[in-house]
């Protein structure tokens, strides 16, 4: 929070396409200072409460509890600056604490969903709070616990905590100690943030906008400082630069490290990266074809279609969620493809969310093996990923369980929204009138599904009322609280959050 304080002063609160700030944001400063004081006080209380456990061994169960509870606490404490500063979700409408938690979790989980309708008015969102909003992306991009382990170490306990936080299968053996791995991740992450900030400034952004958008890109979060997101710059150069860095952010950071020391051959021989790039190229070509053939807005020419199609495909698969075009106005193939793409995500070991590409690769290989066993029951085959063999039964079973778990969470959350979300979200004041309108029911089913998919997979924008030009402000307080938990489940290894609600988890073994 202290890093946000300088941006309360007009000298640094300088926007690229908006008038410079004229006065010191005293309300924002007070909110940040008070939030820091509360956070320090909570830390002191926790430190004294746990002093009796110093030197005790930390096992998987304790690591999962630390990760899950740390993210819950970060969400609550991160909400304080929004709430205490009187940030407005709309003109004259102060943010509630649940909405502040939503904005906080959207930042830390790098989802990029928002309930703020006017980012360009300092009266609604002070510059220092806007910077704090982007700073939560920076902290959450690599992971709060990963950064903690990188700085403080924690020995074998660090390994347990990092594994409990980072979703997706990992490449083992890349580093001898977990702290070295965390430091490597943090070094690459900070270096790419710095490089991208400098490039953005060369391309015309101010320091404030450059930092905020670099954080949003490298964390694959998508928070912008403009109401039109990155489209507010209307710059092909900035958009293609962002595409390159979104792809880097969506790539396994271990693979990036191995590429730096072993050359680009290591990257292009990686099966997960090959699949990742293949999906981007194939789906971009398909969306361009149907967009140009159907005369969609933004596809009037091949260069324009490539610019818009490629940007949105990369933005969705890396779970960044930046917008440069209203893809909700595109043809049904494009909209459906982008909705399904939300369930793919980036590579394991990246800052991207979603199910992860490697899980999909393993999932389809497992399905293929099971189908073959149906007509060749005696055949014995090993699942191969490049030159490696995936022969760990626990890992293969975990892949299937994870897919089933995400599907179950998606269906349950979707049904909750469809059942309990009032029709006023879709502009109706009378539920009976809305129920009689079949088009409204169809719209509600799709919008609720895309909202759940976009938050559970840490995307941000979805379709309909949460489309590229909309946000989550219209949903009820209960729905926003549900989205907070969905964003958390999508960002952290899902079991580290789910175990917190099981009473047996808290009993002594």
């Amino acid at each position: 929070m202290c890093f946000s304080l300088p941006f309360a002063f007009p000298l640094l609160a300088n926007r690229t396409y908006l008038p410079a700030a004229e006065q010191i944001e005293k309300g924002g400063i007070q909110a940040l200072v008070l939030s820091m004081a509360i956070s320090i006080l909570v830390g002191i209380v926790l430190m004294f409460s746990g002093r009796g456990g110093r030197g005790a061994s930390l096992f998987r169960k304790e690591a999962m509890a630390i990760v899950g509870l740390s993210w819950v606490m970060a969400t609550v404490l991160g909400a304080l600056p929004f709430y205490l500063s009187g940030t407005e979700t709309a003109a004259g409408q102060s943010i509630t604490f649940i909405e502040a938690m939503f904005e906080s979790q959207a930042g830390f989980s790098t989802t990029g969903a928002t309930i703020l309708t006017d980012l360009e008015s300092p009266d609604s969102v002070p510059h220092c709070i806007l910077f704090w909003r982007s700073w939560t992306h920076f902290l959450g991009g690599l992971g709060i616990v990963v950064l903690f382990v990188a700085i403080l170490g924690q020995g074998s306990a660090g390994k347990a905590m990092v594994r409990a936080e980072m979703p997706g299968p990992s490449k083992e053996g890349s580093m001898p100690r977990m702290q070295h791995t965390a430091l490597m991740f943090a070094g690459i992450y900070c270096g790419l943030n710095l490089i991208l900030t400098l490039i953005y400034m060369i391309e015309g952004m101010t320091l404030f906008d450059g930092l905020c958008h670099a954080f949003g890109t490298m964390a694959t979060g998508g928070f912008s400082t403009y109401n039109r997101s990155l489209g507010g710059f209307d710059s092909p150069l900035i958009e293609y630069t962002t595409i390159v860095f979104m792809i880097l952010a969506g790539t396994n950071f271990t693979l990036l490290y191995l590429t730096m020391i072993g050359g680009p051959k290591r990257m292009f021989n990686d099966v997960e990266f090959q699949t990742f790039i293949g999906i981007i190229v194939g789906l971009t070509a398909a969306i361009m074809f149907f967009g140009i053939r159907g005369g969609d807005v933004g596809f009037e020419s091949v260069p324009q279609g490539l610019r818009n199609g490629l940007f949105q495909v990369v933005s969705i698969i890396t779970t960044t969620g930046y917008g440069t075009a209203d893809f909700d106005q595109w043809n049904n193939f494009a909209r459906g493809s982008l909705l399904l793409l939300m369930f793919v995500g980036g590579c394991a070991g990246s800052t991207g969310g979603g199910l992860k590409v490697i899980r999909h690769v393993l999932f389809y290989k497992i399905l293929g093996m099971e189908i073959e066993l149906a007509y060749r029951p005696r055949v014995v085959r090993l699942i191969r990923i490049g030159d490696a063999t995936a022969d760990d039964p626990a890992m293969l079973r975990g892949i299937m369980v994870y897919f089933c778990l995400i599907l179950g969470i998606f269906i349950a959350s979707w049904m909750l929204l469809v059942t309990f979300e009032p029709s006023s979200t879709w502009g109706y004041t009378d539920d009976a009138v809305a129920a009689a309108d079949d088009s409204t029911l169809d719209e509600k089913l799709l919008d609720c599904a895309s909202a759940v998919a976009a938050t559970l997979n840490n995307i941000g924008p979805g379709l309909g009322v949460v489309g590229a030009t909309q946000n989550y402000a219209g949903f009820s307080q209960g729905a926003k609280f549900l989205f907070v938990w969905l964003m958390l489940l999508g960002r952290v290894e899902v079991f580290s959050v789910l175990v917190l609600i099981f009473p047996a988890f808290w009993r002594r073994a």
Side-chain angles (χ1 to χ4, degrees), residues 51-396:
R51 65 185 184 276
R54 290 177 182 173
S57 298
L58 187 68
F59 299 102
R60 180 171 176 80
K61 182 178 178 180
E62 289 80 8
M64 295 177 76
I66 289 173
V67 169
L69 294 174
S70 294
W71 275 83
V72 172
M73 184 175 296
T75 302
V76 174
L77 295 178
L80 293 176
F82 298 107
Y83 185 71
L84 297 175
S85 65
T87 295
E88 296 179 343
T89 57
Q93 187 174 336
S94 296
I95 196 169
T96 66
F97 195 73
I98 288 179
E99 290 171 335
M101 286 177 60
F102 180 100
E103 206 70 18
S104 172
Q105 182 57 251
F108 283 123
S109 65
T110 71
T111 302
T114 187
I115 43 82
L116 304 179
T117 57
D118 190 1
L119 301 171
E120 299 174 4
S121 170
D123 295 331
S124 296
V125 189
H127 289 91
C128 57
I129 301 301
L130 201 57
F131 186 84
W132 164 247
R133 180 173 176 262
S134 294
W135 183 253
T136 57
H137 268 348
F138 178 82
L139 295 176
L142 195 54
I144 296 169
V145 173
V146 172
L147 291 173
F148 171 76
V149 172
I151 296 170
L152 300 180
Q154 302 302 308
S156 60
K159 186 173 185 178
M161 288 191 293
V162 169
R163 283 185 169 179
E165 179 179 62
M166 295 186 68
S170 60
K171 297 180 184 296
E172 299 292 342
S174 59
M175 287 291 199
R177 288 188 296 170
M178 187 53 68
Q179 186 182 18
H180 287 180
T181 303
L183 282 170
M184 178 267 291
F185 277 26
I188 294 174
Y189 180 68
C190 294
L192 289 174
N193 268 286
L194 177 60
I195 292 170
L196 182 56
T197 300
L198 294 175
I199 293 175
Y200 276 152
M201 292 178 68
I202 292 171
E203 293 174 348
M205 288 191 190
T206 61
L207 175 64
F208 180 84
D209 283 341
L211 284 170
C212 289
H213 287 89
F215 295 160
T217 300
M218 288 314 306
T220 61
F223 273 160
S224 177
T225 56
Y226 290 88
N227 295 333
R228 291 182 55 214
S229 187
L230 208 68
F233 294 94
D234 194 22
S235 168
L237 181 60
I238 289 176
E239 289 171 25
Y240 280 113
T241 298
T242 305
I243 287 171
V244 172
F245 279 85
M246 284 193 294
I247 291 175
L248 289 174
T251 302
N252 191 313
F253 275 34
T254 302
L255 185 61
L256 292 179
Y257 172 79
L258 294 174
T259 300
M260 287 192 293
I261 62 175
K265 187 177 179 181
R266 299 292 297 268
M267 177 178 287
F268 293 107
N269 285 342
D270 185 81
V271 173
E272 185 181 26
F273 185 76
Q274 291 172 352
T275 307
F276 178 55
I277 296 298
I279 293 172
I280 292 173
V281 173
L283 195 54
T284 299
I287 287 177
M288 281 182 61
F289 173 77
F290 285 104
I292 293 173
R293 193 182 77 163
D296 290 349
V297 177
F299 291 86
E300 289 79 8
S301 64
V302 172
Q304 194 172 7
L306 175 63
R307 172 185 168 186
N308 289 322
L310 178 60
F311 188 94
Q312 290 309 149
V313 168
V314 173
S315 179
I316 296 298
I317 193 172
T318 59
T319 72
T320 307
Y322 274 142
T324 57
D326 186 4
F327 56 81
D328 201 28
Q329 301 300 316
W330 293 355
N331 60 80
N332 286 333
F333 172 82
R335 295 168 72 234
S337 298
L338 292 176
L339 180 60
L340 293 176
L341 196 61
M342 293 179 184
F343 288 94
V344 177
C347 300
S350 71
T351 62
L355 288 168
K356 300 293 187 290
V357 173
I358 191 62
R359 276 201 179 104
H360 282 272
V361 173
L362 287 168
F363 179 74
Y364 293 118
K365 284 182 176 290
I366 293 170
L367 283 183
M369 183 179 67
E370 292 297 326
I371 290 172
E372 185 177 11
L373 285 173
Y375 60 88
R376 291 179 181 169
R378 296 181 180 178
V379 71
V380 177
R381 294 196 188 281
L382 297 176
I383 294 178
R384 301 189 67 84
I385 303 294
D387 296 330
T389 301
D391 55 359
D392 183 0
M395 184 190 72
L396 299 180

